[in-house]
Amino acid sequence: DWDLGKCLMNLAEWSCNATNTSIKALDKQVAYACTETLVWSLSSTWRKLRDMSTHAIVKILTKHTYLIQPLLEKYHNVNDMYIQERLWCAIYGTVMLIQDETVIRNVAEWVYRNIFESKKVSEHILVRDYLKGIVLYGIIHGLEINVDVRIINIPFTNGVIPTILSSDEVMSKYGYETDLQTESKLKENNAKRLILKSMTTEYNMKRLYGDFGRYVFQYNIEKIGEDAGLMSNWAIQMIFEEFGYDAKVFAEFDITNASYYRTQSTVERIGKKYQWIAMYRIMAILMDKNVDKEIDWVNIISNVRNIDPTLYPGKKIKYQESKYSIPNYDISKVKNDYIWMKQWKDMPRIK
């Protein structure tokens, strides 16, 4: 629903651009309700909304740190990895920005106890990086528990790769259907085709590769030293078998929001969302599989990061806020421009 999306965007933009004083003045229940709403918006394929909501959560949490633990307890294990990824990203950004060492240590201890010690580390390369970063930052700030560094480092699984279908088997099982008697069947077929085409790597499936498959997926998988074509087949299996992509449900949306160019879409397909999640999961498992190999994981992880939660690229916030204010000006009412210009008394002299 586009109207609902715009309401969420308004909330995210307001949270990002409101002054620190305004955010700090929020009632506790209002602050929690706003933050929880923003957390759910992280599931969106509207890229700008997802990014804005991430920054908005950071902005609120830096002024209402008491909300961090309730949010973690409720959402740390949510099964939508789009939400989980950006929630941990926002928590990491908040921890990096706040100056309260007690809160930093408490969050780090919570993560260590409830995620690492409990062996509940997600198979997601970015989530793992944020989790580890929070604990390490807590150690820097005097975390008062004995941290076993072995359990915050790979491997977190046995790194075993399951039996993967061949390219021909993938096409046979998830490819084009011949019985397309109805318009709905044609749409379902096209929605599945968008995934298969997008996931195609340079030398896989004997067809023209997709931009995501070649320039994103293949690039990152080959840096780990694995067969990108085979891993692409595994990703397709995940999307349909484990993530439950249902063309009957998503066809209309995905066809409407399909992109045929290399520029990023404003709103991405649901299938594209699942492609990203599959890639991050496969990369995490490959980390466990290749734990003994000399691989530059720092560079690989840096390459797939998609946002810096400590830097908001929009209006100035935090310590960057200007001490000068722009006079209010209602453009709906005709005023004398000369009088309005005279109101700029607090601006510095320009020589």
Side-chain angles (χ1 to χ4, degrees):
D1 189 307
W2 186 245
D3 289 333
L4 177 59
K6 288 191 289 185
C7 289
L8 291 171
M9 179 62 83
N10 288 340
L11 173 61
E13 288 183 331
W14 174 82
S15 302
C16 284
N17 298 323
T19 65
N20 290 327
T21 302
S22 296
I23 295 296
K24 194 172 183 178
L26 288 175
D27 175 82
K28 291 182 178 181
Q29 290 184 328
V30 172
Y32 184 79
C34 289
T35 309
E36 194 166 33
T37 302
L38 291 166
V39 167
W40 281 110
S41 73
L42 299 176
S43 66
S44 176
T45 62
W46 184 4
R47 299 176 67 96
K48 183 180 178 181
L49 172 61
R50 194 161 176 256
D51 289 348
M52 193 70 71
S53 293
T54 304
H55 289 297
I57 293 169
V58 173
K59 181 76 176 289
I60 295 174
L61 292 184
T62 55
K63 299 305 175 187
H64 297 270
T65 55
Y66 58 86
L67 294 178
I68 297 175
Q69 187 165 328
L71 285 173
L72 288 181
E73 290 174 350
K74 187 171 184 178
Y75 294 107
H76 76 277
N77 202 32
V78 66
N79 63 1
D80 186 330
M81 292 307 300
Y82 249 36
I83 295 178
Q84 195 176 140
E85 174 207 331
R86 285 301 181 86
L87 175 60
W88 283 117
C89 174
I91 299 297
Y92 175 73
T94 301
V95 166
M96 295 293 289
L97 289 172
I98 61 177
Q99 303 298 315
D100 191 328
E101 292 197 337
T102 300
V103 175
I104 294 171
R105 290 194 296 268
N106 288 342
V107 174
E109 182 174 354
W110 193 98
V111 171
Y112 182 76
R113 300 290 192 199
N114 293 276
I115 305 299
F116 288 111
E117 279 194 337
S118 301
K119 301 186 184 302
K120 295 180 180 178
V121 183
S122 297
E123 292 177 336
H124 191 294
I125 194 169
L126 291 177
V127 170
R128 290 179 173 185
D129 190 52
Y130 295 134
L131 293 171
K132 181 179 177 181
I134 291 169
V135 174
L136 292 177
Y137 198 62
I139 293 172
I140 292 172
H141 287 272
L143 183 59
E144 297 173 351
I145 60 173
N146 292 322
V147 175
D148 184 351
V149 293
R150 293 174 299 178
I151 69 172
I152 67 172
N153 287 292
I154 58 174
F156 298 108
T157 69
N158 57 20
V160 173
I161 296 176
T163 302
I164 300 174
L165 298 177
S166 67
S167 297
D168 289 339
E169 289 171 326
V170 167
M171 290 300 298
S172 175
K173 189 170 185 178
Y174 309 115
Y176 316 125
E177 299 178 18
T178 55
D179 183 18
L180 301 174
Q181 302 294 327
T182 64
E183 183 180 354
S184 61
K185 279 288 185 181
L186 179 62
K187 287 183 177 180
E188 291 169 28
N189 187 72
N190 288 339
K192 290 189 290 185
R193 181 174 64 87
L194 287 169
I195 294 175
L196 267 62
K197 183 180 185 302
S198 181
M199 285 301 304
T200 302
T201 56
E202 189 170 8
Y203 305 110
N204 198 28
M205 295 191 187
K206 300 176 182 179
R207 53 178 293 170
L208 186 65
Y209 56 77
D211 285 336
F212 180 88
R214 171 63 185 88
Y215 297 109
V216 179
F217 190 88
Q218 182 176 338
Y219 175 79
N220 288 303
I221 297 300
E222 287 185 344
K223 288 185 74 173
I224 304 175
E226 296 287 342
D227 183 334
L230 189 63
M231 295 300 105
S232 174
N233 291 348
W234 186 16
I236 292 170
Q237 285 179 246
M238 279 186 190
I239 291 167
F240 287 102
E241 302 297 335
E242 296 185 53
F243 302 162
Y245 181 85
D246 188 345
K248 292 180 181 178
V249 177
F250 300 128
E252 190 75 39
F253 182 89
D254 278 9
I255 292 171
T256 301
N257 292 287
S259 174
Y260 301 96
Y261 304 97
R262 292 182 181 177
T263 54
Q264 292 181 342
S265 303
T266 302
V267 179
E268 292 189 322
R269 298 175 287 109
I270 300 297
K272 187 69 169 292
K273 169 181 175 176
Y274 289 176
Q275 290 172 217
W276 284 109
I277 295 173
M279 184 185 77
Y280 293 138
R281 182 185 175 195
I282 288 172
M283 292 181 74
I285 295 172
L286 292 179
M287 284 185 75
D288 295 337
K289 175 177 179 287
N290 295 287
V291 64
D292 295 324
K293 293 184 179 179
E294 293 186 6
I295 298 174
D296 186 0
W297 292 114
V298 173
N299 179 266
I300 289 172
I301 293 171
S302 296
N303 186 66
V304 294
R305 284 187 186 136
N306 45 47
I307 189 173
D308 184 340
T310 66
L311 295 174
Y312 174 53
K315 294 182 180 178
K316 304 295 184 183
I317 58 174
K318 303 184 185 303
Y319 57 85
Q320 298 174 329
E321 290 177 352
S322 173
K323 63 181 180 180
Y324 301 107
S325 59
I326 299 177
N328 292 325
Y329 187 66
D330 186 354
I331 62 174
S332 65
K333 297 179 180 179
V334 178
K335 294 182 179 180
N336 186 303
D337 288 342
Y338 178 77
I339 296 175
W340 178 73
M341 291 173 65
K342 283 288 188 179
Q343 294 176 355
W344 291 70
K345 295 178 180 179
D346 295 331
M347 295 300 291
R349 291 184 178 277
I350 301 175
K351 294 182 180 179

